[in-house]
Amino acid sequence: MNIFAILFALLPVLVILVLLVWRRSPADIAGVIGWICAVLVAWLYFETPLTNTLLISLAGVVASLPITIMVGSSLLQITIMKEAGAIDRVVAFIKTIAPGNKVAQILILNLGIGTLLAALGATPVSILPPIMLALGYSSFVAIALPSLGYDALCTYALLGIPVVVFSNFVGLPVNEVGGYFARYMPVISTCIALSMLWLAGGWKLLWRGFFPTILAGVTAGLIAIGMNAMGMVTLTGIAAGLGVVIVMLGYLKLSGQTLRDQSLMTEFDKSTEGKISLPAAMSPWIILTFFALLVNAPFLPFFELTFNRWIMPVTIIPGSPEKLRIFWQAYFWILVSTLIALPWLKIKKTTLRVSFQLWLKRAPRPMLASAVFFSIAFIINHSGKNADWQLLEPANNMVFVIANAASQAFGGFYPFVAPFLGLLSGFISGSETSSIAMLTAIHLSTAEKIGAIGLLVAAASGIGGGLASVISPAKLQNAAASIDRIGEESQVIRVTFVISLVITTIAAVMTILWA
């Protein structure tokens, strides 16, 4: 075991950690410095030609487009909705739901609606922080809770992109591999829900809301299992998000609590109610839901067309084309839904111009963070390839070095380690999808050596990658940008880092018992 190879392979991650946690650097700045470090390490130590390294970085940027453009498009949508008064109208309505019950409010908004938005690609870290802030929560909570709830179902965000990517890597149908992820969901979703309450109000709020939180988390998890059984994996997040909202409203009704109380509305809330109707205010999301169902329903021809036929491959790394699938991607339908909704939002040209100016102020930095962390992930994944793009010496590959060191160090306990490797790579890239791309092949081969279930170990790593959302610099900065608090994400990450480790440990225990 070459200790220097391990240290150099981990160096970009360690640099980013130091910058974010100790120096409190913004995510985009830490990412750029980490990228420079990754380029130098891959070039000078792992013998990757500099030209290849730069092309690999470009491939990472292209691969990040579904996430990067989605960050920009969702920020544009939420900015337009905010300036049009739509968000104020939604906030005024949410204020009347479960009045005085902070537990129900948090679960409905961040677990239910957050899961639904994440499934649609509408990015709750862009949409929910302004709502949370308007409801009276601190900026810390407004950033942390949507980031934690972003992946309440882990692999089922973004119309199930992570599980689709996983199925491509292992060469098996989505419905077959989806079950390996779904079995974790009742426990993991519940842990995330409990963590939300702890972040918002400490142990006191957690104990007060223990039962409804268990109810909401288990509901989301069981729906994930059910949707997989029905062969509708890509629509899991939509169904689970709606399911949580319905179950929580049913719980409030059966327990005799008030569902709505309009007396809590302020004069400002009442004025927004008169300016725009609730359906009009929510029209971008309603339209987006319609199109998401249209291009993902298995009984309609549009999924086959937009996902399997119109793949639009772009090849930068030979043999590894990036499939753009523009007309299937969530960001495309976010832009379309926003454009179609403009007449219902009744937005003026001057307001639209102000929205674009605000968007130009808020979007570039989180978009840069998203792209640069994908580039780092790709450098780590493809490091060691020579000028002919061949990996002749596996010891020159950074992923191989890290995973091989872990397998040698832990042996039969490797299934326990796999979720933590996923968490680490998810932190680096800011994406479970990229984490899956980085580690799946290594997990499958390592599991075969130790006699474990490879698909389960690789899926567990994906769960860890999903849990990285709450410590993802790109997502946290996205949330901070939506409320003009860039820089505050570094304070959030110090607290949420511990939460991510605790939940990942639970996933690791489940994995070693099952594998």
Side-chain angles (χ1 to χ4, degrees):
M1 186 182 298
N2 189 332
I3 189 65
F4 289 105
I6 297 171
L7 288 175
F8 276 112
L10 290 172
L11 188 60
V13 181
L14 296 176
V15 167
I16 293 169
L17 276 172
V18 169
L19 289 171
L20 287 171
V21 179
W22 183 54
R23 296 289 298 176
R24 301 185 183 180
S25 301
D28 54 331
I29 294 175
V32 169
I33 295 174
W35 172 77
I36 294 172
C37 179
V39 168
L40 293 176
V41 167
W43 175 33
L44 299 176
Y45 187 87
F46 289 98
E47 303 177 4
T48 314
L50 181 59
T51 302
N52 282 33
T53 306
L54 296 177
L55 285 174
I56 291 168
S57 298
L58 178 60
V61 172
V62 173
S64 80
L65 292 181
I67 309 296
T68 300
I69 299 179
M70 189 192 68
V71 169
S73 61
S74 61
L75 276 172
L76 178 61
Q77 184 183 74
I78 195 66
T79 301
I80 289 175
M81 291 176 69
K82 176 65 177 175
E83 294 304 306
I87 294 299
D88 292 333
R89 178 67 183 92
V90 173
V91 169
F93 174 75
I94 292 176
K95 281 183 180 179
T96 68
I97 302 296
N101 192 326
K102 184 179 288 188
V103 171
Q105 199 174 64
I106 288 172
L107 294 174
I108 290 172
L109 188 59
N110 291 282
L111 189 67
I113 297 176
T115 297
L116 175 62
L117 292 174
L120 292 171
T123 315
V125 289
S126 297
I127 294 168
L128 297 184
I131 296 176
M132 294 289 290
L133 203 64
L135 289 173
Y137 292 91
S138 68
S139 57
F140 179 93
V141 172
I143 294 170
L145 261 62
S147 300
L148 180 58
Y150 184 97
D151 257 343
L153 285 175
C154 297
T155 316
Y156 299 99
L158 308 178
L159 300 176
I161 286 178
V163 73
V164 171
V165 170
F166 185 86
S167 72
N168 291 336
F169 266 87
V170 301
L172 294 171
V174 173
N175 296 337
E176 185 172 336
V177 300
Y180 287 98
F181 293 91
R183 65 194 304 179
Y184 285 90
M185 292 302 100
V187 173
I188 299 301
S189 298
T190 301
C191 289
I192 290 173
L194 291 170
S195 300
M196 288 180 184
L197 294 195
W198 183 81
L199 275 172
W203 293 107
K204 182 178 180 181
L205 185 64
L206 190 151
W207 289 121
R208 179 155 60 90
F210 188 78
F211 174 73
T213 305
I214 296 291
L215 181 63
V218 171
T219 295
L222 292 179
I223 289 176
I225 294 174
M227 293 295 285
N228 182 81
M230 291 188 293
M232 301 176 69
V233 175
T234 55
L235 298 176
T236 297
I238 296 174
L242 290 173
V244 168
V245 172
I246 293 170
V247 165
M248 288 310 302
L249 292 177
Y251 163 77
L252 291 172
K253 182 69 174 178
L254 291 174
S255 59
Q257 300 182 58
T258 305
L259 293 181
R260 286 198 68 193
D261 185 358
Q262 291 182 293
S263 67
L264 298 177
M265 296 176 67
T266 64
E267 288 301 320
F268 177 77
D269 295 333
K270 293 176 182 178
S271 67
T272 60
E273 190 176 32
K275 292 177 182 177
I276 184 171
S277 67
L278 186 61
M282 297 179 64
S283 59
W285 300 339
I286 295 171
I287 296 169
L288 178 59
T289 302
F290 168 76
F291 281 120
L293 293 171
L294 193 68
V295 298
N296 283 279
F299 49 83
L300 296 176
F302 302 107
F303 178 80
E304 172 66 23
L305 186 66
T306 59
F307 187 84
N308 293 324
R309 295 187 186 179
W310 295 348
I311 60 175
M312 306 176 189
V314 174
T315 302
I316 297 174
I317 300 175
S320 299
E322 295 301 327
K323 300 173 182 178
L324 299 183
R325 294 188 174 104
I326 291 175
F327 298 113
W328 179 78
Q329 299 291 355
Y331 65 77
F332 176 81
W333 297 111
I334 290 173
L335 293 172
V336 169
S337 63
T338 304
L339 183 64
I340 294 175
L342 289 179
W344 282 281
L345 294 176
K346 299 177 182 179
I347 193 167
K348 299 177 182 178
K349 289 184 179 179
T350 54
T351 307
L352 196 60
R353 183 169 61 250
V354 170
S355 299
F356 276 107
Q357 291 172 347
L358 288 171
W359 178 78
L360 288 173
K361 176 184 176 182
R362 295 171 177 170
R365 293 183 65 178
M367 290 179 70
L368 172 62
S370 173
V372 77
F373 278 95
F374 257 82
S375 290
I376 293 170
F378 265 59
I379 290 172
I380 294 174
N381 198 28
H382 293 281
S383 57
K385 292 185 177 180
N386 60 22
D388 295 324
W389 297 96
Q390 300 296 315
L391 180 61
L392 301 179
E393 178 51 62
N396 281 341
N397 181 263
M398 296 161 74
V399 172
F400 178 87
V401 168
I402 296 170
N404 192 53
S407 63
Q408 289 183 25
F410 295 97
F413 287 95
Y414 184 80
F416 183 87
V417 178
F420 291 96
L421 291 175
L423 181 71
L424 178 65
S425 59
F427 166 77
I428 295 169
S429 65
S431 164
E432 180 185 355
T433 305
S434 186
S435 175
I436 288 172
M438 289 169 64
L439 297 177
T440 297
I442 297 297
H443 289 317
L444 292 176
S445 61
T446 306
E448 184 179 0
K449 293 177 184 177
I450 63 174
I453 303 172
L455 287 174
L456 180 67
V457 173
S461 177
I463 298 295
L467 291 171
S469 286
V470 74
I471 57 171
S472 164
K475 288 186 175 69
L476 286 170
Q477 191 178 63
N478 190 350
S482 69
I483 56 174
D484 296 320
R485 296 289 200 282
I486 284 185
E488 196 166 326
E489 68 271 12
S490 61
Q491 299 174 25
V492 174
I493 200 172
R494 289 185 294 169
V495 177
T496 56
F497 180 73
V498 177
I499 292 174
S500 68
L501 287 179
V502 171
I503 302 178
T504 303
T505 301
I506 293 171
V509 171
M510 296 169 69
T511 303
I512 199 166
L513 290 175
W514 290 339

